[in-house]
Amino acid sequence: CSICKLADADLCQQAEEFAASTGGFLCSFFPAKDEVVQALCRCPRLRAALDGGGLFVDLGCGDGRVAVEVARCVGCRCIGVELDAELVASAER
């Protein structure tokens, strides 16, 4: 896919150029349903993987709700990565 064309140099600049060339969106945002987020938080494999100071990374985190909820429920560190400035602003609130 075109995302794989992003090289290691200036990733942010390349992502902006790519997004501009595709009309500004890599993918549409669809919020996760609450029951899906809760099922993720209860998942024994996720909890085991994050036990002892693991890091949960949510690529394309949208409004950041999943990362925040995983951090709250599992007690791990989380990082959300999002390119859409409006969604980032929403996540920061």
Side-chain angles (χ1 to χ4, degrees):
C1 69
S2 296
I3 295 172
C4 298
K5 293 180 182 175
L6 297 176
D8 52 281
D10 184 359
L11 210 53
C12 185
Q13 178 65 30
Q14 290 178 39
E16 288 174 4
E17 290 171 3
F18 174 74
S21 73
T22 60
F25 294 101
L26 299 176
C27 181
S28 297
F29 171 63
F30 299 98
K33 294 181 180 181
D34 290 336
E35 55 268 20
V36 173
V37 176
Q38 291 308 313
L40 176 66
C41 289
R42 290 190 307 269
C43 177
R45 287 186 176 173
L46 178 70
R47 288 181 167 274
L50 297 173
D51 189 35
L55 175 65
F56 180 85
V57 179
D58 187 358
L59 299 177
C61 69
D63 60 6
R65 192 170 50 89
V66 173
V68 169
E69 193 64 16
V70 168
R72 188 184 72 73
C73 291
V74 179
C76 64
R77 297 176 304 134
C78 292
I79 295 176
V81 179
E82 180 57 57
L83 294 176
D84 185 316
E86 289 181 28
L87 290 171
V88 170
S90 176
E92 290 175 338
R93 283 182 240 149

